[in-house]
Structure formats: structure tokens, C-alpha cells
mmCIF file of all heavy atoms in Angstrom:
data_model
loop_
_atom_site.group_PDB
_atom_site.id
_atom_site.type_symbol
_atom_site.label_atom_id
_atom_site.label_comp_id
_atom_site.label_asym_id
_atom_site.label_seq_id
_atom_site.Cartn_x
_atom_site.Cartn_y
_atom_site.Cartn_z
ATOM 1 N N MET I 1 5.755 -3.636 -14.210
ATOM 2 C CA MET I 1 4.599 -2.981 -13.720
ATOM 3 C C MET I 1 4.882 -1.750 -12.842
ATOM 4 O O MET I 1 4.272 -0.721 -13.001
ATOM 5 C CB MET I 1 3.820 -3.995 -12.804
ATOM 6 C CG MET I 1 2.452 -3.471 -12.255
ATOM 7 S SD MET I 1 1.653 -4.733 -11.385
ATOM 8 C CE MET I 1 1.208 -5.902 -12.633
ATOM 9 N N LEU I 2 5.889 -1.870 -12.047
ATOM 10 C CA LEU I 2 6.334 -0.670 -11.223
ATOM 11 C C LEU I 2 6.694 0.494 -12.092
ATOM 12 O O LEU I 2 6.369 1.677 -11.735
ATOM 13 C CB LEU I 2 7.423 -1.058 -10.271
ATOM 14 C CG LEU I 2 8.073 -0.015 -9.334
ATOM 15 C CD1 LEU I 2 6.920 0.441 -8.458
ATOM 16 C CD2 LEU I 2 9.170 -0.520 -8.556
ATOM 17 N N LYS I 3 7.357 0.241 -13.231
ATOM 18 C CA LYS I 3 7.754 1.315 -14.113
ATOM 19 C C LYS I 3 6.548 1.964 -14.641
ATOM 20 O O LYS I 3 6.488 3.213 -14.767
ATOM 21 C CB LYS I 3 8.638 0.728 -15.275
ATOM 22 C CG LYS I 3 9.220 1.721 -16.106
ATOM 23 C CD LYS I 3 10.017 1.169 -17.316
ATOM 24 C CE LYS I 3 11.146 0.429 -16.750
ATOM 25 N NZ LYS I 3 12.078 -0.151 -17.872
ATOM 26 N N GLN I 4 5.433 1.256 -14.960
ATOM 27 C CA GLN I 4 4.209 1.716 -15.464
ATOM 28 C C GLN I 4 3.642 2.685 -14.416
ATOM 29 O O GLN I 4 3.132 3.739 -14.788
ATOM 30 C CB GLN I 4 3.243 0.648 -15.793
ATOM 31 C CG GLN I 4 3.694 -0.142 -17.044
ATOM 32 C CD GLN I 4 2.598 -1.254 -17.250
ATOM 33 O OE1 GLN I 4 2.272 -2.037 -16.308
ATOM 34 N NE2 GLN I 4 2.244 -1.451 -18.464
ATOM 35 N N ILE I 5 3.636 2.206 -13.259
ATOM 36 C CA ILE I 5 2.948 2.972 -12.190
ATOM 37 C C ILE I 5 3.670 4.271 -11.912
ATOM 38 O O ILE I 5 3.043 5.345 -11.580
ATOM 39 C CB ILE I 5 2.902 2.112 -10.876
ATOM 40 C CG1 ILE I 5 1.937 0.879 -11.119
ATOM 41 C CG2 ILE I 5 2.370 2.921 -9.639
ATOM 42 C CD1 ILE I 5 2.048 -0.052 -9.974
ATOM 43 N N LEU I 6 4.969 4.331 -11.905
ATOM 44 C CA LEU I 6 5.753 5.515 -11.654
ATOM 45 C C LEU I 6 6.083 6.357 -12.859
ATOM 46 O O LEU I 6 6.746 7.384 -12.706
ATOM 47 C CB LEU I 6 7.095 5.028 -10.957
ATOM 48 C CG LEU I 6 6.839 4.280 -9.536
ATOM 49 C CD1 LEU I 6 8.216 4.027 -8.934
ATOM 50 C CD2 LEU I 6 6.144 5.206 -8.575
ATOM 51 N N SER I 7 5.642 5.947 -13.979
ATOM 52 C CA SER I 7 5.959 6.681 -15.284
ATOM 53 C C SER I 7 5.411 8.073 -15.158
ATOM 54 O O SER I 7 4.349 8.272 -14.606
ATOM 55 C CB SER I 7 5.418 5.832 -16.485
ATOM 56 O OG SER I 7 4.068 5.742 -16.461
ATOM 57 N N GLY I 8 6.028 8.971 -15.796
ATOM 58 C CA GLY I 8 5.739 10.316 -15.717
ATOM 59 C C GLY I 8 4.239 10.670 -16.162
ATOM 60 O O GLY I 8 3.647 11.567 -15.696
ATOM 61 N N ASP I 9 3.807 9.937 -17.211
ATOM 62 C CA ASP I 9 2.459 10.303 -17.733
ATOM 63 C C ASP I 9 1.342 10.061 -16.795
ATOM 64 O O ASP I 9 0.238 10.448 -16.949
ATOM 65 C CB ASP I 9 2.160 9.554 -19.082
ATOM 66 C CG ASP I 9 2.055 8.059 -18.806
ATOM 67 O OD1 ASP I 9 2.691 7.636 -17.909
ATOM 68 O OD2 ASP I 9 1.334 7.449 -19.574
ATOM 69 N N LEU I 10 1.577 9.346 -15.580
ATOM 70 C CA LEU I 10 0.514 9.167 -14.550
ATOM 71 C C LEU I 10 0.336 10.339 -13.728
ATOM 72 O O LEU I 10 -0.689 10.595 -13.214
ATOM 73 C CB LEU I 10 0.915 7.940 -13.734
ATOM 74 C CG LEU I 10 0.867 6.571 -14.481
ATOM 75 C CD1 LEU I 10 1.266 5.478 -13.359
ATOM 76 C CD2 LEU I 10 -0.466 6.231 -15.068
ATOM 77 N N GLY I 11 1.363 11.155 -13.778
ATOM 78 C CA GLY I 11 1.324 12.406 -12.855
ATOM 79 C C GLY I 11 0.972 12.210 -11.477
ATOM 80 O O GLY I 11 0.254 12.973 -10.768
ATOM 81 N N LEU I 12 1.648 11.197 -10.860
ATOM 82 C CA LEU I 12 1.467 11.046 -9.467
ATOM 83 C C LEU I 12 1.966 12.146 -8.608
ATOM 84 O O LEU I 12 3.133 12.640 -8.806
ATOM 85 C CB LEU I 12 2.130 9.650 -9.017
ATOM 86 C CG LEU I 12 1.394 8.425 -9.421
ATOM 87 C CD1 LEU I 12 2.198 7.224 -9.012
ATOM 88 C CD2 LEU I 12 0.070 8.284 -8.844
ATOM 89 N N LYS I 13 1.250 12.528 -7.567
ATOM 90 C CA LYS I 13 1.669 13.624 -6.691
ATOM 91 C C LYS I 13 2.177 13.031 -5.362
ATOM 92 O O LYS I 13 1.682 11.962 -4.879
ATOM 93 C CB LYS I 13 0.528 14.616 -6.418
ATOM 94 C CG LYS I 13 0.110 15.320 -7.693
ATOM 95 C CD LYS I 13 -1.100 16.311 -7.333
ATOM 96 C CE LYS I 13 -1.436 17.114 -8.565
ATOM 97 N NZ LYS I 13 -2.557 17.999 -8.221
ATOM 98 N N SER I 14 3.112 13.666 -4.725
ATOM 99 C CA SER I 14 3.628 13.160 -3.403
ATOM 100 C C SER I 14 2.670 12.946 -2.432
ATOM 101 O O SER I 14 2.739 12.029 -1.622
ATOM 102 C CB SER I 14 4.729 14.148 -2.976
ATOM 103 O OG SER I 14 4.212 15.428 -2.763
ATOM 104 N N GLU I 15 1.563 13.903 -2.424
ATOM 105 C CA GLU I 15 0.551 13.728 -1.358
ATOM 106 C C GLU I 15 -0.259 12.361 -1.670
ATOM 107 O O GLU I 15 -0.535 11.756 -0.589
ATOM 108 C CB GLU I 15 -0.449 14.817 -1.447
ATOM 109 C CG GLU I 15 0.132 16.174 -1.064
ATOM 110 C CD GLU I 15 0.681 16.934 -2.372
ATOM 111 O OE1 GLU I 15 0.930 16.192 -3.371
ATOM 112 O OE2 GLU I 15 1.056 18.217 -2.201
ATOM 113 N N ILE I 16 -0.409 11.986 -2.847
ATOM 114 C CA ILE I 16 -1.150 10.734 -3.028
ATOM 115 C C ILE I 16 -0.278 9.601 -2.601
ATOM 116 O O ILE I 16 -0.785 8.610 -2.027
ATOM 117 C CB ILE I 16 -1.531 10.623 -4.619
ATOM 118 C CG1 ILE I 16 -2.483 11.728 -5.000
ATOM 119 C CG2 ILE I 16 -2.100 9.301 -4.907
ATOM 120 C CD1 ILE I 16 -2.742 11.775 -6.401
ATOM 121 N N ILE I 17 0.997 9.661 -2.949
ATOM 122 C CA ILE I 17 1.915 8.586 -2.597
ATOM 123 C C ILE I 17 1.878 8.363 -1.112
ATOM 124 O O ILE I 17 1.807 7.283 -0.604
ATOM 125 C CB ILE I 17 3.339 8.792 -3.151
ATOM 126 C CG1 ILE I 17 3.305 8.856 -4.683
ATOM 127 C CG2 ILE I 17 4.291 7.763 -2.545
ATOM 128 C CD1 ILE I 17 4.639 9.189 -5.288
ATOM 129 N N ILE I 18 1.988 9.488 -0.357
ATOM 130 C CA ILE I 18 2.051 9.422 1.063
ATOM 131 C C ILE I 18 0.780 8.800 1.697
ATOM 132 O O ILE I 18 0.771 7.960 2.542
ATOM 133 C CB ILE I 18 2.389 10.934 1.697
ATOM 134 C CG1 ILE I 18 3.781 11.284 1.381
ATOM 135 C CG2 ILE I 18 2.166 10.733 3.288
ATOM 136 C CD1 ILE I 18 3.995 12.660 1.752
ATOM 137 N N GLY I 19 -0.344 9.329 1.141
ATOM 138 C CA GLY I 19 -1.566 8.880 1.633
ATOM 139 C C GLY I 19 -1.838 7.320 1.342
ATOM 140 O O GLY I 19 -2.251 6.565 2.184
ATOM 141 N N VAL I 20 -1.378 6.872 0.207
ATOM 142 C CA VAL I 20 -1.468 5.474 -0.118
ATOM 143 C C VAL I 20 -0.582 4.630 0.751
ATOM 144 O O VAL I 20 -0.859 3.511 1.255
ATOM 145 C CB VAL I 20 -1.194 5.181 -1.582
ATOM 146 C CG1 VAL I 20 -1.214 3.644 -1.847
ATOM 147 C CG2 VAL I 20 -2.178 5.864 -2.432
ATOM 148 N N ILE I 21 0.687 5.098 1.135
ATOM 149 C CA ILE I 21 1.565 4.404 1.936
ATOM 150 C C ILE I 21 0.964 4.300 3.327
ATOM 151 O O ILE I 21 1.204 3.167 4.000
ATOM 152 C CB ILE I 21 2.949 5.047 2.039
ATOM 153 C CG1 ILE I 21 3.753 5.058 0.701
ATOM 154 C CG2 ILE I 21 3.805 4.590 3.102
ATOM 155 C CD1 ILE I 21 4.952 5.826 0.644
ATOM 156 N N VAL I 22 0.314 5.366 3.775
ATOM 157 C CA VAL I 22 -0.296 5.272 5.145
ATOM 158 C C VAL I 22 -1.331 4.208 5.163
ATOM 159 O O VAL I 22 -1.443 3.396 6.094
ATOM 160 C CB VAL I 22 -0.806 6.576 5.588
ATOM 161 C CG1 VAL I 22 -1.706 6.472 6.781
ATOM 162 C CG2 VAL I 22 0.165 7.626 5.733
ATOM 163 N N LEU I 23 -2.167 4.145 4.126
ATOM 164 C CA LEU I 23 -3.233 3.163 4.008
ATOM 165 C C LEU I 23 -2.522 1.766 3.955
ATOM 166 O O LEU I 23 -3.096 0.799 4.531
ATOM 167 C CB LEU I 23 -4.002 3.381 2.815
ATOM 168 C CG LEU I 23 -4.932 4.621 2.893
ATOM 169 C CD1 LEU I 23 -5.645 4.809 1.448
ATOM 170 C CD2 LEU I 23 -6.017 4.437 3.917
ATOM 171 N N ALA I 24 -1.505 1.589 3.271
ATOM 172 C CA ALA I 24 -0.807 0.311 3.164
ATOM 173 C C ALA I 24 -0.392 -0.183 4.506
ATOM 174 O O ALA I 24 -0.444 -1.357 4.840
ATOM 175 C CB ALA I 24 0.264 0.363 2.102
ATOM 176 N N VAL I 25 0.235 0.776 5.238
ATOM 177 C CA VAL I 25 0.815 0.398 6.566
ATOM 178 C C VAL I 25 -0.308 -0.006 7.521
ATOM 179 O O VAL I 25 -0.231 -1.120 8.205
ATOM 180 C CB VAL I 25 1.557 1.559 7.259
ATOM 181 C CG1 VAL I 25 2.023 1.300 8.742
ATOM 182 C CG2 VAL I 25 2.859 1.812 6.437
ATOM 183 N N VAL I 26 -1.458 0.744 7.515
ATOM 184 C CA VAL I 26 -2.580 0.385 8.362
ATOM 185 C C VAL I 26 -3.176 -0.957 7.903
ATOM 186 O O VAL I 26 -3.506 -1.845 8.763
ATOM 187 C CB VAL I 26 -3.655 1.435 8.165
ATOM 188 C CG1 VAL I 26 -4.988 1.020 8.857
ATOM 189 C CG2 VAL I 26 -3.283 2.726 8.759
ATOM 190 N N TYR I 27 -3.182 -1.200 6.642
ATOM 191 C CA TYR I 27 -3.699 -2.443 6.140
ATOM 192 C C TYR I 27 -2.784 -3.729 6.607
ATOM 193 O O TYR I 27 -3.249 -4.629 7.066
ATOM 194 C CB TYR I 27 -3.802 -2.525 4.601
ATOM 195 C CG TYR I 27 -4.067 -3.932 4.074
ATOM 196 C CD1 TYR I 27 -5.460 -4.305 3.977
ATOM 197 C CD2 TYR I 27 -3.119 -4.757 3.625
ATOM 198 C CE1 TYR I 27 -5.708 -5.664 3.507
ATOM 199 C CE2 TYR I 27 -3.326 -5.969 3.168
ATOM 200 C CZ TYR I 27 -4.715 -6.470 3.079
ATOM 201 O OH TYR I 27 -5.017 -7.628 2.643
ATOM 202 N N LEU I 28 -1.547 -3.451 6.486
ATOM 203 C CA LEU I 28 -0.553 -4.568 6.822
ATOM 204 C C LEU I 28 -0.608 -4.849 8.378
ATOM 205 O O LEU I 28 -0.568 -6.017 8.777
ATOM 206 C CB LEU I 28 0.948 -4.188 6.431
ATOM 207 C CG LEU I 28 1.134 -4.166 4.986
ATOM 208 C CD1 LEU I 28 2.523 -3.654 4.703
ATOM 209 C CD2 LEU I 28 0.969 -5.575 4.371
ATOM 210 N N ILE I 29 -0.813 -3.777 9.134
ATOM 211 C CA ILE I 29 -0.937 -4.009 10.642
ATOM 212 C C ILE I 29 -2.113 -4.700 11.011
ATOM 213 O O ILE I 29 -2.110 -5.718 11.737
ATOM 214 C CB ILE I 29 -0.836 -2.688 11.358
ATOM 215 C CG1 ILE I 29 0.607 -2.041 11.147
ATOM 216 C CG2 ILE I 29 -1.190 -2.773 12.876
ATOM 217 C CD1 ILE I 29 0.651 -0.646 11.741
ATOM 218 N N THR I 30 -3.253 -4.327 10.473
ATOM 219 C CA THR I 30 -4.544 -5.005 10.791
ATOM 220 C C THR I 30 -4.608 -6.347 10.269
ATOM 221 O O THR I 30 -5.215 -7.226 10.862
ATOM 222 C CB THR I 30 -5.720 -4.109 10.242
ATOM 223 O OG1 THR I 30 -5.546 -4.062 8.727
ATOM 224 C CG2 THR I 30 -5.776 -2.751 10.816
ATOM 225 N N THR I 31 -4.013 -6.626 9.093
ATOM 226 C CA THR I 31 -3.982 -7.987 8.621
ATOM 227 C C THR I 31 -3.160 -8.779 9.418
ATOM 228 O O THR I 31 -3.526 -10.061 9.750
ATOM 229 C CB THR I 31 -3.405 -7.872 7.096
ATOM 230 O OG1 THR I 31 -4.331 -7.051 6.270
ATOM 231 C CG2 THR I 31 -3.376 -9.365 6.552
ATOM 232 N N ALA I 32 -1.964 -8.346 9.939
ATOM 233 C CA ALA I 32 -1.114 -9.155 10.745
ATOM 234 C C ALA I 32 -1.822 -9.526 12.015
ATOM 235 O O ALA I 32 -1.695 -10.623 12.548
ATOM 236 C CB ALA I 32 0.150 -8.392 11.079
ATOM 237 N N ILE I 33 -2.575 -8.538 12.713
ATOM 238 C CA ILE I 33 -3.333 -8.815 13.912
ATOM 239 C C ILE I 33 -4.314 -9.898 13.587
ATOM 240 O O ILE I 33 -4.607 -10.811 14.450
ATOM 241 C CB ILE I 33 -3.968 -7.538 14.375
ATOM 242 C CG1 ILE I 33 -2.877 -6.549 14.803
ATOM 243 C CG2 ILE I 33 -4.855 -7.720 15.533
ATOM 244 C CD1 ILE I 33 -3.378 -5.182 15.208
ATOM 245 N N ARG I 34 -5.116 -9.696 12.509
ATOM 246 C CA ARG I 34 -6.163 -10.655 12.176
ATOM 247 C C ARG I 34 -5.734 -12.111 12.030
ATOM 248 O O ARG I 34 -6.345 -13.013 12.391
ATOM 249 C CB ARG I 34 -6.937 -10.196 10.885
ATOM 250 C CG ARG I 34 -8.111 -10.939 10.531
ATOM 251 C CD ARG I 34 -8.628 -10.244 9.290
ATOM 252 N NE ARG I 34 -9.777 -11.016 8.775
ATOM 253 C CZ ARG I 34 -10.393 -10.796 7.633
ATOM 254 N NH1 ARG I 34 -9.880 -9.844 6.873
ATOM 255 N NH2 ARG I 34 -11.357 -11.488 7.265
ATOM 256 N N ARG I 35 -4.502 -12.226 11.438
ATOM 257 C CA ARG I 35 -4.101 -13.644 11.109
ATOM 258 C C ARG I 35 -3.244 -14.175 12.312
ATOM 259 O O ARG I 35 -2.757 -15.374 12.128
ATOM 260 C CB ARG I 35 -3.180 -13.484 9.839
ATOM 261 C CG ARG I 35 -3.950 -13.231 8.557
ATOM 262 C CD ARG I 35 -3.083 -13.021 7.421
ATOM 263 N NE ARG I 35 -3.860 -12.535 6.239
ATOM 264 C CZ ARG I 35 -3.471 -11.855 5.251
ATOM 265 N NH1 ARG I 35 -2.193 -11.476 5.199
ATOM 266 N NH2 ARG I 35 -4.137 -11.542 4.247
ATOM 267 N N HIS I 36 -3.031 -13.484 13.280
ATOM 268 C CA HIS I 36 -2.249 -13.985 14.391
ATOM 269 C C HIS I 36 -2.793 -15.290 14.985
ATOM 270 O O HIS I 36 -3.957 -15.338 15.178
ATOM 271 C CB HIS I 36 -2.155 -12.906 15.490
ATOM 272 C CG HIS I 36 -1.313 -13.432 16.692
ATOM 273 N ND1 HIS I 36 0.023 -13.556 16.534
ATOM 274 C CD2 HIS I 36 -1.662 -13.779 17.915
ATOM 275 C CE1 HIS I 36 0.513 -13.911 17.749
ATOM 276 N NE2 HIS I 36 -0.464 -14.084 18.555
ATOM 277 N N GLY I 37 -2.018 -16.214 14.989
ATOM 278 C CA GLY I 37 -2.430 -17.598 15.511
ATOM 279 C C GLY I 37 -3.121 -18.386 14.470
ATOM 280 O O GLY I 37 -3.510 -19.608 14.804
ATOM 281 N N LYS I 38 -3.222 -18.018 13.284
ATOM 282 C CA LYS I 38 -3.807 -18.796 12.190
ATOM 283 C C LYS I 38 -2.713 -19.346 11.278
ATOM 284 O O LYS I 38 -1.639 -18.668 10.987
ATOM 285 C CB LYS I 38 -4.809 -17.975 11.383
ATOM 286 C CG LYS I 38 -5.836 -17.303 12.170
ATOM 287 C CD LYS I 38 -6.956 -18.319 12.641
ATOM 288 C CE LYS I 38 -8.091 -17.708 13.321
ATOM 289 N NZ LYS I 38 -9.189 -18.652 13.692
ATOM 290 N N LYS I 39 -2.893 -20.454 10.686
ATOM 291 C CA LYS I 39 -1.991 -21.009 9.755
ATOM 292 C C LYS I 39 -2.294 -20.491 8.329
ATOM 293 O O LYS I 39 -3.280 -21.045 7.653
ATOM 294 C CB LYS I 39 -2.015 -22.494 9.779
ATOM 295 C CG LYS I 39 -0.868 -23.235 8.870
ATOM 296 C CD LYS I 39 -0.947 -24.693 8.885
ATOM 297 C CE LYS I 39 0.132 -25.239 7.989
ATOM 298 N NZ LYS I 39 0.046 -26.756 7.881
#
């Protein structure tokens, strides 16, 4: 799956990758806060 996502024909730009990474970090932080103290 990773190979598909990063394959050349998708034409991913570095700006998009950076933007998505930022969103991913924000999501992981908010999710961790939300689940704190829960099983």
C-alpha cells in the first residue's frame, strides 16, 4: 500500500506531504489527550 501511495504516477508534492504530516501530528496529540485515563 505504501508503495502505491508514494508511486510516481500519484504526483505527490512536498507541500502536500508536509501539510498532511502536520495534520497527522495534531490528530495524534488530540487523540492521546482525549483517551488519557481511558482503557
